[in-house]
Each structure stands twice: as C-alpha cells, then as structure tokens.
Amino acid sequence: MTKQIISTPNAPSSSLYSQGIRVGSTIYVSGMIGIDQTTTELAGPTIQEQTRQAVRNCVAVLEAGGGIRDDIVQITVLLTNPGDFTGMNEAYAGEFPTKQPTRAVAKLGVELPGVLVSIMMTAQLGD
C-alpha cells in the first residue's frame, strides 16, 4: 500500500516529522501539543486548555486526511506531569463524551517549555 503524507496548516508542524500518514484506510496522527495555530502559542497554561487544543490539532490532521472524529480508534496521551491526570481526564471526557476510542496514558519523556501534554491518535476510516 502507498503511504500518503497528510499536511494541514491547522495543526502544529515540523520539518522533522509528518503531521499524519494515511495507509489505505488507516490514518496515523503524530503527537500534537496544545498549540493554537491561530496564535502559534500554547492554548493556555492549564492541562485542560492544552488537552482540548491537542485533541483539536489531532482532529485537524485527521480531517485533512479524509477522516472524521468517529473514525478514531486509539489515542495515546503523554503527560509531562502525571499529577495532571485528573485535569486531563476532565478535558478529555468533554472531547469524547460518547464512542470513546481505546486509550493509553504515559509520561512524556522530554520536557518542553510550558508543554503539559502531547496526544497522538490512530483512526480507521469508516466504510
């Protein structure tokens, strides 16, 4: 199968990685942090603000690849501070009130100034 690189101006990007890759009907979205692309700054200082924005950034990549939110099957959440788990869960629950994908949560291995969370996801496009 052919790999299709997904790129959108609506999510953070880097020359070091692809925002997303589509292989057949599967989309893999790179880890996204809570940067608001309209301001190019973190969405806010709280785990809730950054979690919501990181999910929105992932969904922007997903949509650029032809997917929709309901196609998400797996999410990995990386927290800078494991003590932010409750706040992350609060914001996450608001983003996925129904049809929750599978999820894993781990500690982010690098420290980036002000960054509290990184989220990546995998989606399987519907029929």
Side-chain angles (χ1 to χ4, degrees):
M1 275 188 212
T2 304
K3 287 194 311 186
Q4 172 193 353
I5 304 298
I6 301 168
S7 180
T8 178
N10 299 323
S13 63
S14 170
S15 61
L16 301 175
Y17 60 85
S18 298
Q19 290 172 309
I21 294 181
R22 180 174 172 170
V23 180
S25 60
T26 303
I27 295 177
Y28 303 91
V29 178
S30 288
M32 294 284 149
I33 61 175
I35 290 180
D36 181 338
Q37 283 302 101
T38 60
T39 64
T40 65
E41 296 182 10
L42 288 169
T46 69
I47 188 64
Q48 292 88 345
E49 292 166 310
Q50 290 189 29
T51 297
R52 285 189 290 270
Q53 187 63 52
V55 169
R56 288 183 197 120
N57 292 339
C58 287
V59 171
V61 175
L62 174 65
E63 290 174 347
I68 60 172
R69 190 177 279 256
D70 281 350
D71 294 329
I72 301 167
V73 295
Q74 197 277 332
I75 294 179
T76 301
V77 178
L78 302 173
L79 294 172
T80 299
N81 177 2
D84 283 336
F85 182 81
T86 300
M88 178 278 298
N89 252 351
E90 174 188 307
Y92 183 94
E95 293 296 318
F96 298 98
T98 61
K99 298 183 183 179
Q100 296 85 2
T102 63
R103 186 180 85 175
V105 179
K107 185 169 182 346
L108 183 62
V110 298
E111 290 188 29
L112 303 168
V115 173
L116 302 176
V117 65
S118 177
I119 297 177
M120 61 185 185
M121 57 181 59
T122 304
Q124 182 66 41
L125 304 185
D127 296 327

